[in-house]
mmCIF file of all heavy atoms in Angstrom:
data_model
loop_
_atom_site.group_PDB
_atom_site.id
_atom_site.type_symbol
_atom_site.label_atom_id
_atom_site.label_comp_id
_atom_site.label_asym_id
_atom_site.label_seq_id
_atom_site.Cartn_x
_atom_site.Cartn_y
_atom_site.Cartn_z
ATOM 1 N N LYS S 1 26.712 -85.490 16.568
ATOM 2 C CA LYS S 1 27.834 -85.813 17.446
ATOM 3 C C LYS S 1 28.938 -84.774 17.367
ATOM 4 O O LYS S 1 29.672 -84.557 18.339
ATOM 5 C CB LYS S 1 28.406 -87.192 17.078
ATOM 6 C CG LYS S 1 27.442 -88.350 17.276
ATOM 7 C CD LYS S 1 28.087 -89.654 16.819
ATOM 8 C CE LYS S 1 27.134 -90.831 16.976
ATOM 9 N NZ LYS S 1 26.876 -91.139 18.408
ATOM 10 N N LEU S 2 29.062 -84.105 16.192
ATOM 11 C CA LEU S 2 30.148 -83.130 16.030
ATOM 12 C C LEU S 2 29.878 -82.223 14.835
ATOM 13 O O LEU S 2 29.495 -82.695 13.758
ATOM 14 C CB LEU S 2 31.485 -83.854 15.831
ATOM 15 C CG LEU S 2 32.749 -82.992 15.741
ATOM 16 C CD1 LEU S 2 32.929 -82.129 17.000
ATOM 17 C CD2 LEU S 2 33.975 -83.863 15.516
ATOM 18 N N PHE S 3 30.070 -80.931 15.042
ATOM 19 C CA PHE S 3 29.999 -79.923 13.973
ATOM 20 C C PHE S 3 31.413 -79.386 13.788
ATOM 21 O O PHE S 3 31.994 -78.812 14.709
ATOM 22 C CB PHE S 3 29.046 -78.796 14.376
ATOM 23 C CG PHE S 3 28.867 -77.719 13.319
ATOM 24 C CD1 PHE S 3 27.735 -77.686 12.530
ATOM 25 C CD2 PHE S 3 29.838 -76.735 13.122
ATOM 26 C CE1 PHE S 3 27.550 -76.701 11.568
ATOM 27 C CE2 PHE S 3 29.669 -75.743 12.165
ATOM 28 C CZ PHE S 3 28.519 -75.730 11.380
ATOM 29 N N ILE S 4 31.978 -79.592 12.587
ATOM 30 C CA ILE S 4 33.344 -79.140 12.298
ATOM 31 C C ILE S 4 33.275 -77.956 11.334
ATOM 32 O O ILE S 4 32.717 -78.070 10.237
ATOM 33 C CB ILE S 4 34.188 -80.268 11.688
ATOM 34 C CG1 ILE S 4 34.354 -81.409 12.693
ATOM 35 C CG2 ILE S 4 35.559 -79.743 11.267
ATOM 36 C CD1 ILE S 4 35.098 -82.607 12.142
ATOM 37 N N HIS S 5 33.856 -76.844 11.747
ATOM 38 C CA HIS S 5 33.913 -75.651 10.899
ATOM 39 C C HIS S 5 35.343 -75.447 10.428
ATOM 40 O O HIS S 5 36.278 -75.386 11.235
ATOM 41 C CB HIS S 5 33.454 -74.420 11.684
ATOM 42 C CG HIS S 5 33.646 -73.128 10.941
ATOM 43 N ND1 HIS S 5 32.937 -72.815 9.808
ATOM 44 C CD2 HIS S 5 34.474 -72.065 11.174
ATOM 45 C CE1 HIS S 5 33.307 -71.623 9.369
ATOM 46 N NE2 HIS S 5 34.236 -71.153 10.183
ATOM 47 N N ILE S 6 35.512 -75.348 9.111
ATOM 48 C CA ILE S 6 36.845 -75.123 8.540
ATOM 49 C C ILE S 6 37.080 -73.618 8.449
ATOM 50 O O ILE S 6 36.466 -72.919 7.638
ATOM 51 C CB ILE S 6 36.989 -75.763 7.147
ATOM 52 C CG1 ILE S 6 36.569 -77.233 7.193
ATOM 53 C CG2 ILE S 6 38.426 -75.613 6.661
ATOM 54 C CD1 ILE S 6 37.328 -78.095 8.155
ATOM 55 N N SER S 7 37.965 -73.122 9.284
ATOM 56 C CA SER S 7 38.327 -71.715 9.282
ATOM 57 C C SER S 7 39.680 -71.566 8.574
ATOM 58 O O SER S 7 39.964 -72.292 7.630
ATOM 59 C CB SER S 7 38.379 -71.197 10.731
ATOM 60 O OG SER S 7 38.642 -69.811 10.767
ATOM 61 N N THR S 8 40.515 -70.663 9.014
ATOM 62 C CA THR S 8 41.857 -70.482 8.458
ATOM 63 C C THR S 8 42.757 -69.889 9.526
ATOM 64 O O THR S 8 42.301 -69.098 10.359
ATOM 65 C CB THR S 8 41.853 -69.568 7.218
ATOM 66 O OG1 THR S 8 43.207 -69.266 6.842
ATOM 67 C CG2 THR S 8 41.148 -68.256 7.497
ATOM 68 N N SER S 9 44.014 -70.254 9.507
ATOM 69 C CA SER S 9 44.964 -69.704 10.480
ATOM 70 C C SER S 9 45.348 -68.269 10.138
ATOM 71 O O SER S 9 46.054 -67.617 10.910
ATOM 72 C CB SER S 9 46.216 -70.578 10.554
ATOM 73 O OG SER S 9 46.851 -70.670 9.298
ATOM 74 N N TYR S 10 44.863 -67.767 8.991
ATOM 75 C CA TYR S 10 45.159 -66.392 8.584
ATOM 76 C C TYR S 10 43.922 -65.493 8.706
ATOM 77 O O TYR S 10 43.720 -64.597 7.886
ATOM 78 C CB TYR S 10 45.682 -66.370 7.151
ATOM 79 C CG TYR S 10 47.110 -66.865 7.020
ATOM 80 C CD1 TYR S 10 47.380 -68.198 6.735
ATOM 81 C CD2 TYR S 10 48.179 -66.001 7.196
ATOM 82 C CE1 TYR S 10 48.686 -68.654 6.622
ATOM 83 C CE2 TYR S 10 49.485 -66.455 7.086
ATOM 84 C CZ TYR S 10 49.734 -67.779 6.796
ATOM 85 O OH TYR S 10 51.032 -68.236 6.693
ATOM 86 N N CYS S 11 43.094 -65.725 9.732
ATOM 87 C CA CYS S 11 41.909 -64.872 9.886
ATOM 88 C C CYS S 11 42.020 -63.916 11.071
ATOM 89 O O CYS S 11 41.138 -63.085 11.266
ATOM 90 C CB CYS S 11 40.637 -65.706 10.001
ATOM 91 S SG CYS S 11 40.497 -66.646 11.514
ATOM 92 N N HIS S 12 43.076 -64.007 11.852
ATOM 93 C CA HIS S 12 43.312 -63.069 12.955
ATOM 94 C C HIS S 12 44.698 -62.459 12.753
ATOM 95 O O HIS S 12 45.646 -62.738 13.493
ATOM 96 C CB HIS S 12 43.203 -63.771 14.307
ATOM 97 C CG HIS S 12 41.859 -64.361 14.570
ATOM 98 N ND1 HIS S 12 40.752 -63.580 14.853
ATOM 99 C CD2 HIS S 12 41.420 -65.653 14.559
ATOM 100 C CE1 HIS S 12 39.695 -64.369 15.024
ATOM 101 N NE2 HIS S 12 40.075 -65.619 14.853
ATOM 102 N N LEU S 13 44.797 -61.645 11.726
ATOM 103 C CA LEU S 13 46.101 -61.181 11.255
ATOM 104 C C LEU S 13 46.767 -60.196 12.201
ATOM 105 O O LEU S 13 47.949 -59.895 12.055
ATOM 106 C CB LEU S 13 45.954 -60.563 9.863
ATOM 107 C CG LEU S 13 45.434 -61.539 8.794
ATOM 108 C CD1 LEU S 13 45.203 -60.822 7.478
ATOM 109 C CD2 LEU S 13 46.394 -62.705 8.598
ATOM 110 N N GLN S 14 46.017 -59.686 13.171
ATOM 111 C CA GLN S 14 46.623 -58.797 14.155
ATOM 112 C C GLN S 14 47.466 -59.589 15.152
ATOM 113 O O GLN S 14 48.271 -59.015 15.898
ATOM 114 C CB GLN S 14 45.544 -57.989 14.902
ATOM 115 C CG GLN S 14 44.740 -58.782 15.925
ATOM 116 C CD GLN S 14 43.633 -59.639 15.312
ATOM 117 O OE1 GLN S 14 43.511 -59.731 14.095
ATOM 118 N NE2 GLN S 14 42.825 -60.259 16.151
ATOM 119 N N GLU S 15 47.291 -60.903 15.174
ATOM 120 C CA GLU S 15 48.046 -61.766 16.084
ATOM 121 C C GLU S 15 49.269 -62.322 15.364
ATOM 122 O O GLU S 15 49.136 -63.156 14.473
ATOM 123 C CB GLU S 15 47.159 -62.922 16.577
ATOM 124 C CG GLU S 15 45.890 -62.484 17.266
ATOM 125 C CD GLU S 15 46.157 -61.769 18.576
ATOM 126 O OE1 GLU S 15 47.185 -62.051 19.214
ATOM 127 O OE2 GLU S 15 45.326 -60.914 18.962
ATOM 128 N N LYS S 16 50.458 -61.889 15.757
ATOM 129 C CA LYS S 16 51.670 -62.384 15.123
ATOM 130 C C LYS S 16 52.001 -63.808 15.562
ATOM 131 O O LYS S 16 52.740 -64.521 14.892
ATOM 132 C CB LYS S 16 52.845 -61.449 15.421
ATOM 133 C CG LYS S 16 52.705 -60.078 14.766
ATOM 134 C CD LYS S 16 52.572 -60.199 13.253
ATOM 135 C CE LYS S 16 52.440 -58.844 12.571
ATOM 136 N NZ LYS S 16 52.260 -58.987 11.100
ATOM 137 N N LEU S 17 51.459 -64.227 16.705
ATOM 138 C CA LEU S 17 51.539 -65.620 17.148
ATOM 139 C C LEU S 17 50.112 -66.086 17.411
ATOM 140 O O LEU S 17 49.479 -65.655 18.377
ATOM 141 C CB LEU S 17 52.388 -65.767 18.411
ATOM 142 C CG LEU S 17 52.407 -67.178 19.026
ATOM 143 C CD1 LEU S 17 53.038 -68.177 18.052
ATOM 144 C CD2 LEU S 17 53.144 -67.180 20.358
ATOM 145 N N LEU S 18 49.593 -66.937 16.543
ATOM 146 C CA LEU S 18 48.213 -67.401 16.675
ATOM 147 C C LEU S 18 48.172 -68.624 17.583
ATOM 148 O O LEU S 18 48.740 -69.671 17.266
ATOM 149 C CB LEU S 18 47.637 -67.758 15.302
ATOM 150 C CG LEU S 18 46.142 -68.093 15.317
ATOM 151 C CD1 LEU S 18 45.324 -66.810 15.396
ATOM 152 C CD2 LEU S 18 45.755 -68.897 14.081
ATOM 153 N N GLU S 19 47.499 -68.493 18.699
ATOM 154 C CA GLU S 19 47.351 -69.604 19.623
ATOM 155 C C GLU S 19 46.054 -70.355 19.340
ATOM 156 O O GLU S 19 45.194 -69.895 18.588
ATOM 157 C CB GLU S 19 47.380 -69.089 21.065
ATOM 158 C CG GLU S 19 48.684 -68.383 21.420
ATOM 159 C CD GLU S 19 48.749 -67.997 22.890
ATOM 160 O OE1 GLU S 19 48.485 -68.874 23.743
ATOM 161 O OE2 GLU S 19 49.054 -66.821 23.170
ATOM 162 N N GLU S 20 45.914 -71.508 19.980
ATOM 163 C CA GLU S 20 44.730 -72.336 19.752
ATOM 164 C C GLU S 20 43.631 -71.936 20.738
ATOM 165 O O GLU S 20 43.307 -72.654 21.685
ATOM 166 C CB GLU S 20 45.108 -73.815 19.869
ATOM 167 C CG GLU S 20 46.090 -74.232 18.777
ATOM 168 C CD GLU S 20 46.470 -75.692 18.828
ATOM 169 O OE1 GLU S 20 47.132 -76.092 19.797
ATOM 170 O OE2 GLU S 20 46.104 -76.444 17.904
ATOM 171 N N LYS S 21 43.091 -70.768 20.482
ATOM 172 C CA LYS S 21 42.038 -70.227 21.330
ATOM 173 C C LYS S 21 41.182 -69.284 20.514
ATOM 174 O O LYS S 21 41.537 -68.889 19.391
ATOM 175 C CB LYS S 21 42.645 -69.485 22.524
ATOM 176 C CG LYS S 21 43.424 -68.227 22.140
ATOM 177 C CD LYS S 21 43.976 -67.520 23.377
ATOM 178 C CE LYS S 21 44.641 -66.186 22.996
ATOM 179 N NZ LYS S 21 45.177 -65.490 24.185
ATOM 180 N N ALA S 22 40.042 -68.904 21.064
ATOM 181 C CA ALA S 22 39.144 -67.966 20.393
ATOM 182 C C ALA S 22 39.661 -66.544 20.558
ATOM 183 O O ALA S 22 40.250 -66.196 21.592
ATOM 184 C CB ALA S 22 37.739 -68.076 20.966
ATOM 185 N N TYR S 23 39.444 -65.738 19.530
ATOM 186 C CA TYR S 23 39.804 -64.317 19.568
ATOM 187 C C TYR S 23 38.555 -63.484 19.303
ATOM 188 O O TYR S 23 37.632 -63.940 18.610
ATOM 189 C CB TYR S 23 40.866 -64.004 18.511
ATOM 190 C CG TYR S 23 42.219 -64.594 18.807
ATOM 191 C CD1 TYR S 23 42.577 -65.846 18.291
ATOM 192 C CD2 TYR S 23 43.156 -63.914 19.589
ATOM 193 C CE1 TYR S 23 43.825 -66.399 18.552
ATOM 194 C CE2 TYR S 23 44.405 -64.461 19.847
ATOM 195 C CZ TYR S 23 44.727 -65.697 19.339
ATOM 196 O OH TYR S 23 45.968 -66.247 19.605
ATOM 197 N N PRO S 24 38.509 -62.282 19.833
ATOM 198 C CA PRO S 24 37.353 -61.418 19.554
ATOM 199 C C PRO S 24 37.221 -61.148 18.061
ATOM 200 O O PRO S 24 38.229 -60.890 17.388
ATOM 201 C CB PRO S 24 37.677 -60.126 20.323
ATOM 202 C CG PRO S 24 38.704 -60.515 21.331
ATOM 203 C CD PRO S 24 39.489 -61.634 20.719
ATOM 204 N N PRO S 25 36.014 -61.199 17.515
ATOM 205 C CA PRO S 25 35.836 -60.917 16.081
ATOM 206 C C PRO S 25 36.034 -59.431 15.798
ATOM 207 O O PRO S 25 35.893 -58.594 16.700
ATOM 208 C CB PRO S 25 34.401 -61.351 15.814
ATOM 209 C CG PRO S 25 33.718 -61.180 17.129
ATOM 210 C CD PRO S 25 34.742 -61.525 18.177
ATOM 211 N N PRO S 26 36.339 -59.062 14.555
ATOM 212 C CA PRO S 26 36.551 -57.654 14.206
ATOM 213 C C PRO S 26 35.265 -56.827 14.219
ATOM 214 O O PRO S 26 35.317 -55.597 14.141
ATOM 215 C CB PRO S 26 37.151 -57.727 12.801
ATOM 216 C CG PRO S 26 36.685 -59.029 12.250
ATOM 217 C CD PRO S 26 36.612 -59.961 13.419
ATOM 218 N N ALA S 27 34.124 -57.476 14.304
ATOM 219 C CA ALA S 27 32.818 -56.788 14.380
ATOM 220 C C ALA S 27 31.793 -57.806 14.873
ATOM 221 O O ALA S 27 32.097 -58.993 15.014
ATOM 222 C CB ALA S 27 32.423 -56.230 13.012
ATOM 223 N N ASP S 28 30.588 -57.345 15.156
ATOM 224 C CA ASP S 28 29.523 -58.263 15.562
ATOM 225 C C ASP S 28 28.992 -58.965 14.302
ATOM 226 O O ASP S 28 28.425 -58.315 13.410
ATOM 227 C CB ASP S 28 28.393 -57.482 16.231
ATOM 228 C CG ASP S 28 27.298 -58.385 16.772
ATOM 229 O OD1 ASP S 28 26.876 -59.300 16.043
ATOM 230 O OD2 ASP S 28 26.851 -58.167 17.914
ATOM 231 N N PRO S 29 29.184 -60.278 14.178
ATOM 232 C CA PRO S 29 28.768 -60.966 12.945
ATOM 233 C C PRO S 29 27.279 -60.847 12.650
ATOM 234 O O PRO S 29 26.880 -60.756 11.482
ATOM 235 C CB PRO S 29 29.178 -62.427 13.195
ATOM 236 C CG PRO S 29 29.371 -62.553 14.671
ATOM 237 C CD PRO S 29 29.786 -61.204 15.149
ATOM 238 N N HIS S 30 26.451 -60.817 13.674
ATOM 239 C CA HIS S 30 24.997 -60.701 13.460
ATOM 240 C C HIS S 30 24.640 -59.337 12.862
ATOM 241 O O HIS S 30 23.809 -59.242 11.952
ATOM 242 C CB HIS S 30 24.261 -60.905 14.782
ATOM 243 C CG HIS S 30 24.520 -62.240 15.422
ATOM 244 N ND1 HIS S 30 23.927 -63.396 14.977
ATOM 245 C CD2 HIS S 30 25.341 -62.592 16.460
ATOM 246 C CE1 HIS S 30 24.343 -64.416 15.722
ATOM 247 N NE2 HIS S 30 25.202 -63.960 16.635
ATOM 248 N N HIS S 31 25.285 -58.284 13.376
ATOM 249 C CA HIS S 31 25.036 -56.950 12.828
ATOM 250 C C HIS S 31 25.536 -56.825 11.396
ATOM 251 O O HIS S 31 24.892 -56.185 10.554
ATOM 252 C CB HIS S 31 25.713 -55.893 13.712
ATOM 253 C CG HIS S 31 25.098 -55.766 15.074
ATOM 254 N ND1 HIS S 31 25.699 -55.091 16.114
ATOM 255 C CD2 HIS S 31 23.910 -56.238 15.562
ATOM 256 C CE1 HIS S 31 24.917 -55.154 17.193
ATOM 257 N NE2 HIS S 31 23.832 -55.845 16.873
ATOM 258 N N ILE S 32 26.687 -57.425 11.116
ATOM 259 C CA ILE S 32 27.237 -57.363 9.750
ATOM 260 C C ILE S 32 26.313 -58.085 8.773
ATOM 261 O O ILE S 32 26.068 -57.603 7.656
ATOM 262 C CB ILE S 32 28.657 -57.968 9.717
ATOM 263 C CG1 ILE S 32 29.634 -57.114 10.539
ATOM 264 C CG2 ILE S 32 29.154 -58.103 8.279
ATOM 265 C CD1 ILE S 32 29.849 -55.710 9.995
ATOM 266 N N ILE S 33 25.794 -59.231 9.172
ATOM 267 C CA ILE S 33 24.856 -59.958 8.304
ATOM 268 C C ILE S 33 23.631 -59.095 8.000
ATOM 269 O O ILE S 33 23.215 -58.960 6.840
ATOM 270 C CB ILE S 33 24.421 -61.285 8.964
ATOM 271 C CG1 ILE S 33 25.596 -62.256 9.048
ATOM 272 C CG2 ILE S 33 23.270 -61.923 8.172
ATOM 273 C CD1 ILE S 33 25.317 -63.483 9.896
ATOM 274 N N GLN S 34 23.057 -58.501 9.026
ATOM 275 C CA GLN S 34 21.877 -57.654 8.836
ATOM 276 C C GLN S 34 22.178 -56.480 7.916
ATOM 277 O O GLN S 34 21.379 -56.138 7.028
ATOM 278 C CB GLN S 34 21.382 -57.156 10.192
ATOM 279 C CG GLN S 34 20.784 -58.244 11.079
ATOM 280 C CD GLN S 34 20.498 -57.753 12.486
ATOM 281 O OE1 GLN S 34 20.791 -56.608 12.833
ATOM 282 N NE2 GLN S 34 19.913 -58.619 13.310
ATOM 283 N N ALA S 35 23.323 -55.867 8.114
ATOM 284 C CA ALA S 35 23.701 -54.712 7.287
ATOM 285 C C ALA S 35 23.847 -55.107 5.820
ATOM 286 O O ALA S 35 23.371 -54.403 4.919
ATOM 287 C CB ALA S 35 24.998 -54.104 7.811
ATOM 288 N N MET S 36 24.491 -56.248 5.554
ATOM 289 C CA MET S 36 24.697 -56.673 4.170
ATOM 290 C C MET S 36 23.387 -57.063 3.498
ATOM 291 O O MET S 36 23.243 -56.949 2.277
ATOM 292 C CB MET S 36 25.673 -57.863 4.125
ATOM 293 C CG MET S 36 27.092 -57.529 4.545
ATOM 294 S SD MET S 36 27.891 -56.251 3.523
ATOM 295 C CE MET S 36 28.046 -54.936 4.733
ATOM 296 N N GLU S 37 22.415 -57.504 4.287
ATOM 297 C CA GLU S 37 21.138 -57.922 3.707
ATOM 298 C C GLU S 37 20.297 -56.744 3.249
ATOM 299 O O GLU S 37 19.538 -56.876 2.280
ATOM 300 C CB GLU S 37 20.363 -58.761 4.731
ATOM 301 C CG GLU S 37 20.929 -60.164 4.931
ATOM 302 C CD GLU S 37 20.189 -60.956 5.990
ATOM 303 O OE1 GLU S 37 19.616 -60.329 6.922
ATOM 304 O OE2 GLU S 37 20.182 -62.208 5.903
ATOM 305 N N TRP S 38 20.413 -55.590 3.921
ATOM 306 C CA TRP S 38 19.548 -54.475 3.518
ATOM 307 C C TRP S 38 20.263 -53.338 2.813
ATOM 308 O O TRP S 38 19.630 -52.546 2.109
ATOM 309 C CB TRP S 38 18.794 -53.921 4.724
ATOM 310 C CG TRP S 38 19.624 -53.246 5.784
ATOM 311 C CD1 TRP S 38 20.070 -53.799 6.935
ATOM 312 C CD2 TRP S 38 20.078 -51.878 5.798
ATOM 313 N NE1 TRP S 38 20.800 -52.885 7.667
ATOM 314 C CE2 TRP S 38 20.804 -51.696 6.993
ATOM 315 C CE3 TRP S 38 19.940 -50.796 4.925
ATOM 316 C CZ2 TRP S 38 21.412 -50.487 7.329
ATOM 317 C CZ3 TRP S 38 20.540 -49.586 5.265
ATOM 318 C CH2 TRP S 38 21.257 -49.439 6.448
ATOM 319 N N MET S 39 21.590 -53.236 2.940
ATOM 320 C CA MET S 39 22.304 -52.128 2.288
ATOM 321 C C MET S 39 22.464 -52.374 0.792
ATOM 322 O O MET S 39 22.621 -53.508 0.347
ATOM 323 C CB MET S 39 23.688 -51.959 2.935
ATOM 324 C CG MET S 39 23.638 -51.393 4.345
ATOM 325 S SD MET S 39 25.241 -51.448 5.204
ATOM 326 C CE MET S 39 26.177 -50.279 4.251
ATOM 327 N N ASP S 40 22.441 -51.309 0.015
ATOM 328 C CA ASP S 40 22.638 -51.429 -1.428
ATOM 329 C C ASP S 40 24.127 -51.521 -1.747
ATOM 330 O O ASP S 40 24.989 -51.224 -0.918
ATOM 331 C CB ASP S 40 22.009 -50.250 -2.169
ATOM 332 C CG ASP S 40 22.630 -48.919 -1.771
ATOM 333 O OD1 ASP S 40 23.714 -48.591 -2.263
ATOM 334 O OD2 ASP S 40 22.024 -48.211 -0.918
ATOM 335 N N THR S 41 24.417 -51.906 -2.968
ATOM 336 C CA THR S 41 25.795 -52.187 -3.378
ATOM 337 C C THR S 41 26.706 -50.977 -3.230
ATOM 338 O O THR S 41 27.837 -51.089 -2.734
ATOM 339 C CB THR S 41 25.818 -52.678 -4.839
ATOM 340 O OG1 THR S 41 24.987 -53.830 -4.957
ATOM 341 C CG2 THR S 41 27.235 -53.045 -5.258
ATOM 342 N N GLU S 42 26.232 -49.805 -3.653
ATOM 343 C CA GLU S 42 27.079 -48.609 -3.596
ATOM 344 C C GLU S 42 27.395 -48.223 -2.156
ATOM 345 O O GLU S 42 28.522 -47.823 -1.844
ATOM 346 C CB GLU S 42 26.379 -47.447 -4.318
ATOM 347 C CG GLU S 42 26.342 -47.591 -5.822
ATOM 348 C CD GLU S 42 27.734 -47.786 -6.430
ATOM 349 O OE1 GLU S 42 28.651 -47.042 -6.035
ATOM 350 O OE2 GLU S 42 27.890 -48.691 -7.268
#
């Protein structure tokens, strides 16, 4: 019936006035996940 995701009001820090709307992410989340899965720590 409902999926609730707990985010934070401090995740779009480029916005000095955070409105109740979606903002573009700082990168493509799918690409970032893939990169972190195969890249080494260094």
Side-chain angles (χ1 to χ4, degrees):
K1 297 177 181 292
L2 184 58
F3 182 102
I4 296 176
H5 173 67
I6 308 302
S7 184
T8 171
S9 59
Y10 285 93
C11 69
H12 299 288
L13 299 175
Q14 74 281 5
E15 303 294 332
K16 293 302 180 182
L17 174 63
L18 187 78
E19 299 185 50
E20 296 181 293
K21 66 179 185 180
Y23 290 93
D28 184 314
H30 301 283
H31 292 166
I32 294 296
I33 292 170
Q34 291 171 357
M36 293 300 113
E37 287 177 332
W38 67 262
M39 289 171 67
D40 62 79
T41 303
E42 288 305 314

